[in-house]
Amino acid sequence: MVDPKNAIFLSSIKAIKSWIGGPRPPRPGICVVPGHGGLGPPIPGHRRPGTDDPRPPRPGIWVGGGAYGGMGMGCSATNTRSRILSRHRPCKRLIFYFHDILYNGHNSRNATSAIVGAPAWGNTTILAGQNHFGNVVVFDDPITLDNNLHSTPVGQAQGFYLYDKKNIFTSWLGFSFVFNSTQHKGSINFAGADPLMNKTRDISVIGGTGDFFMSRGVATLMTDAFEGEVYFRLRVDVKLYECWS
């Protein structure tokens, strides 16, 4: 005689199988997990591993989020592991260079950035002493696909950086890449601490527009070249882990 509870369970599984088929949008996943249905009636001669209990585990249905339901294939430990691993691989990776030429009182024609804030002991044409602490710089720098300042720009890096420590050379950045090329449209927004003495530094990708709508990720910065305190070039390795377009 079939246990009524098991009959309901089997009819549910049959309905689920008949529903699966063809491409479907993501939906909550359904997993058949031994033991999640409690314990069944005792079976003579049966013992659960590691116990003297003769009651076998019942199958149970576990309902998860869309990450497990996939496209109608249910869920499994393998699918879950693949999903977790995919979170650590960028969905999009881009490398750009941006070039900063600081105004020094004599280069207004070519300057792409300017000091707009200075401590009491500084001024707005020369970066202050004590690791430039207190200086705020606004920039509108060209972005290129290679490290040549004279290459055709694909956009502008627009924002600011400020020097925020007296005892070590470091800064904080907040800026956007605003694209104007046929290859990329829209913007990517960045923010974070930039410990300049490190060879590479990571800052956060906190959003975007257009081709980069609602993007999230990490950008790895590396100082590719500099000339005194007037010019520097940054290599920006953008790795997006959340892509909507």
Side-chain angles (χ1 to χ4, degrees):
M1 183 175 180
V2 179
D3 188 321
K5 292 183 179 178
N6 283 338
I8 294 171
F9 168 75
L10 292 173
S11 64
S12 300
I13 294 298
K14 185 176 179 180
I16 292 166
K17 287 182 176 179
S18 66
W19 185 60
I20 295 173
R24 298 181 183 275
R27 65 173 191 272
I30 299 177
C31 286
V32 178
V33 184
H36 278 237
L39 297 173
I43 297 177
H46 175 82
R47 292 291 183 274
R48 284 191 299 120
T51 73
D52 292 327
D53 195 332
R55 296 172 298 167
R58 288 184 189 274
I61 295 179
W62 182 85
V63 180
Y68 298 96
M71 303 303 290
M73 296 302 293
C75 67
S76 68
T78 302
N79 288 343
T80 304
R81 182 173 179 273
S82 298
R83 178 76 178 184
I84 292 170
L85 287 175
S86 69
R87 293 176 187 167
H88 299 286
R89 299 192 189 106
C91 50
K92 190 175 289 186
R93 186 177 181 185
L94 305 157
I95 296 176
F96 301 102
Y97 295 81
F98 78 84
H99 310 261
D100 186 271
I101 303 172
L102 183 64
Y103 174 67
N104 63 1
H106 308 287
N107 61 347
S108 59
R109 185 181 181 89
N110 297 322
T112 62
S113 63
I115 302 169
V116 297
W121 60 86
N123 60 62
T124 55
T125 55
I126 300 173
L127 290 168
Q130 302 186 55
N131 294 306
H132 311 329
F133 177 70
N135 280 133
V136 180
V137 179
V138 172
F139 61 88
D140 181 16
D141 295 339
I143 307 167
T144 59
L145 296 176
D146 59 26
N147 61 6
N148 188 343
L149 172 61
H150 303 290
S151 294
T152 302
V154 297
Q156 297 295 121
Q158 298 173 332
F160 69 94
Y161 54 89
L162 55 88
Y163 295 95
D164 55 357
K165 274 184 174 274
K166 290 176 70 174
N167 58 353
I168 193 169
F169 192 43
T170 186
S171 67
W172 195 93
L173 293 165
F175 65 97
S176 299
F177 278 179
V178 181
F179 296 98
N180 58 13
S181 69
T182 55
Q183 187 176 0
H184 301 296
K185 298 291 184 184
S187 64
I188 307 175
N189 303 320
F190 307 84
D194 184 16
L196 295 162
M197 301 306 291
N198 297 344
K199 183 177 180 180
T200 60
R201 297 89 67 187
D202 289 338
I203 61 173
S204 301
V205 176
I206 57 174
T209 62
D211 295 343
F212 309 99
F213 174 74
M214 291 290 288
S215 293
R216 301 288 189 277
V218 173
T220 301
L221 309 180
M222 183 177 72
T223 303
D224 192 57
F226 66 92
E227 295 178 14
E229 295 181 342
V230 175
Y231 171 79
F232 68 80
R233 178 174 66 236
L234 285 185
R235 180 184 186 271
V236 185
D237 184 355
V238 182
K239 295 176 284 290
L240 302 180
Y241 294 89
E242 192 172 323
C243 304
W244 290 72
S245 58

